[in-house]
Amino acid sequence: CATGRGIDEHVEFSPATKSEIYRDQWVHRSPPEVHVRPAHAAGGSYKVLFIPFRVTQPSADPNIMGYTVARVVWQTWLSMQLFPAMEFSGEPTPYRRDLAVALARQRGADIVVGGFVTYLYAGGTAGDSQLAVQIEALDANSGQVIWSFAQSGLMPASRTQDYFLFSVKTRLPSDPIQAIARAIAGDTGTVIQDWFNEPTPESQTQRLDRKTRDTLFSPPDPVPAPRSAPQIPVRDDRAF
């Protein structure tokens, strides 16, 4: 289980009262589930268009929630410099594959990124906050899904643990849901970074050229190194 946090810890000492240790609350989550990924390493640079996520659970403001979560993911990927160009769509319509691909072609993008908020509970500072998302990346040319992630995160409510000489209190960020979204975006972005760093597989033409070159220009047999003469031990019986 992975964890993440935002602000630094600090300790407040007071001679008259019990000392208090403040710790930032963690984002508890498992590694992202990668359902679909490209078969080969990345080649070239891509222009990416982000679409606001679609919220699948009943909610009072689903479009605002989906827009906010998607924008946090987009900003996190921007900071990670995953792609040379990443544009966030200002369209109010949430993610739908066919519309997203059509818009990406219209904007001249190579990849369109969207997704779904499958579960969201904002507990604020009084309760636990939870977020589950599914992120998709589609090839704008073919409409095929090339990336598909699923991940969820939990930020527990603020708690206080009292001890004899001090107490430990956990602090929450101003918006726990955005903190969870940033952690999820960082995890999925790392998977994409690893994809970019993978060695490009050898093509069939390159493999044939290499075999032909090795056959025609095979290295000569190595010349054996000269053997040194064996050293004969000498006995010295001289008296000093």
Side-chain angles (χ1 to χ4, degrees), residues 159-175:
R159 292 181 173 86
T160 301
Q161 295 175 299
D162 284 316
Y163 299 95
F164 181 71
L165 297 177
F166 61 91
S167 61
V168 179
K169 297 182 178 181
T170 55
R171 296 179 301 180
L172 296 178
S174 57
D175 192 328

Side-chain angles (χ1 to χ4, degrees), residues 65-88:
M65 290 182 180
Y67 181 94
T68 301
V69 173
R71 193 166 181 86
V72 171
V73 175
W74 170 70
Q75 290 173 337
T76 305
W77 285 14
L78 269 179
S79 66
M80 299 175 70
Q81 299 180 348
L82 293 184
F83 300 96
M86 284 189 287
E87 177 188 356
F88 190 87

Side-chain angles (χ1 to χ4, degrees), residues 6-205:
I7 27 185
D8 295 332
E9 302 175 358
H10 77 277
V11 181
E12 292 185 357
F13 293 100
S14 173
T17 59
K18 182 187 297 186
S19 299
E20 296 180 342
I21 301 175
Y22 290 89
R23 304 183 63 182
D24 295 330
Q25 190 55 279
W26 300 80
V27 177
H28 301 267
R29 63 201 188 277
S30 298
E33 299 177 4
V34 183
H35 299 155
V36 180
R37 61 165 294 158
H40 304 296
S45 59
Y46 303 95
K47 180 181 179 181
V48 178
L49 177 67
F50 260 79
I51 305 295
F53 293 172
R54 179 178 295 273
V55 179
T56 59
Q57 72 178 36
S59 174
D61 299 305
N63 290 352
I64 295 178
M65 290 182 180
Y67 181 94
T68 301
V69 173
R71 193 166 181 86
V72 171
V73 175
W74 170 70
Q75 290 173 337
T76 305
W77 285 14
L78 269 179
S79 66
M80 299 175 70
Q81 299 180 348
L82 293 184
F83 300 96
M86 284 189 287
E87 177 188 356
F88 190 87
S89 171
E91 298 291 332
T93 305
Y95 177 67
R96 209 178 82 179
R97 290 177 182 170
D98 55 343
L99 298 180
V101 169
L103 183 60
R105 293 170 180 170
Q106 180 183 342
R107 300 280 184 91
D110 304 302
I111 298 173
V112 58
V113 176
F116 306 93
V117 177
T118 56
Y119 185 78
L120 188 151
Y121 181 79
T125 58
D128 298 345
S129 295
Q130 300 180 55
L131 175 67
V133 299
Q134 180 180 344
I135 304 174
E136 295 183 345
L138 283 69
D139 183 354
N141 183 37
S142 64
Q144 181 181 5
V145 177
I146 56 178
W147 281 106
S148 179
F149 304 99
Q151 193 177 13
S152 61
L154 165 70
M155 178 167 282
S158 179
R159 292 181 173 86
T160 301
Q161 295 175 299
D162 284 316
Y163 299 95
F164 181 71
L165 297 177
F166 61 91
S167 61
V168 179
K169 297 182 178 181
T170 55
R171 296 179 301 180
L172 296 178
S174 57
D175 192 328
I177 292 297
Q178 291 195 21
I180 300 173
R182 278 192 296 271
I184 291 175
D187 291 344
T188 53
T190 301
V191 175
I192 296 178
Q193 279 183 334
D194 294 340
W195 173 60
F196 275 107
N197 295 330
E198 290 178 358
T200 304
E202 192 177 41
S203 66
Q204 184 176 359
T205 303

